[in-house]
Amino acid sequence: MSTEQALKSFIAAGLLVLAGCASQAPAPAPAPAPRSEPAPTTAAPVQQVAPAAVATPAKRCDATVTLTNNETFAFRKADLTAAAKARLDRDVVAKLAGCARVEAIVIEGHADRLGTQEFNQKLSEQRAEAVRAYLALHGAANDPIETIGMGKTVPAKFCPDIKDRAKLIDCLAPNRRAIVTIKGTGK
């Protein structure tokens, strides 16, 4: 047999082997080895944790009270009227009774524009002090109270066109006032 014939025989035999392999079903893949279950742990079971309670802000007992109308001070005076005392009792003293802790009480005294700056400054300080003294007698003696005289610097009413002095004094009455501001936490 010649080399050429031997080569043809070899190729033919290889093709027959390949053809035979192609017609056979592939062998099944080997089954995976069985897994062993992990050993149970002795750790404690997971417990559900309740969400943290949201802290509610402390109840406030803040208030601002302005003496108005017949509660204002008389012209050039620092005496509290009966109406002013009743309003302080109702809206300030009663509010302070509902406070667990008073952080601050600020009392502003005000004056109208009639008179000198110096006179009105002193008068507004006296008005704030009159309110402080009243509150101290009625339960606020141990609370932190600050007084401030605003003089004629913060008018509530202007009355620019009134020439008659008596009518002007009457018109400017809302400026002769006191403002009480309370800051604190409620009970």
Side-chain angles (χ1 to χ4, degrees):
M1 188 169 354
S2 72
T3 318
E4 190 176 303
Q5 285 179 339
L7 184 60
K8 284 183 183 181
S9 293
F10 181 72
I11 292 176
L15 287 175
L16 285 173
V17 172
L18 285 175
C21 288
S23 65
Q24 293 179 359
R35 287 189 189 176
S36 62
E37 293 295 319
T41 61
T42 58
V46 176
Q47 295 180 359
Q48 294 291 338
V49 177
V54 177
T56 57
K59 183 179 176 184
R60 302 292 302 170
C61 70
D62 299 348
T64 300
V65 176
T66 302
L67 300 180
T68 59
N69 302 325
N70 62 343
E71 303 159 352
T72 60
F73 296 90
F75 182 66
R76 294 185 170 236
K77 302 283 183 193
D79 302 322
L80 291 169
T81 64
K85 291 175 183 179
R87 176 83 187 277
L88 291 171
D89 288 339
R90 183 182 71 239
D91 294 343
V92 177
V93 174
K95 185 69 165 180
L96 291 172
C99 294
R101 183 173 152 266
V102 176
E103 297 162 4
I105 301 171
V106 178
I107 304 167
E108 297 176 13
H110 294 264
D112 61 31
R113 63 183 165 89
L114 303 176
T116 66
Q117 175 64 32
E118 295 80 20
F119 175 81
N120 284 321
Q121 180 62 38
K122 184 174 180 178
L123 182 58
S124 67
E125 291 168 3
Q126 291 169 346
R127 289 174 175 168
E129 184 57 33
V131 174
R132 189 211 58 77
Y134 185 83
L135 293 179
L137 284 174
H138 293 85
N142 295 324
D143 294 326
I145 300 175
E146 181 179 338
T147 60
I148 184 168
M150 302 300 286
K152 58 183 179 179
T153 60
V154 187
K157 194 168 182 183
F158 290 96
C159 310
D161 297 331
I162 298 176
K163 304 293 184 214
D164 181 68
R165 184 159 173 87
K167 288 181 182 178
L168 181 60
I169 290 170
D170 187 49
C171 181
L172 294 173
N175 296 336
R176 298 186 295 271
R177 68 196 187 281
I179 301 172
V180 181
T181 303
I182 303 167
K183 298 287 182 191
T185 53
K187 290 182 179 176

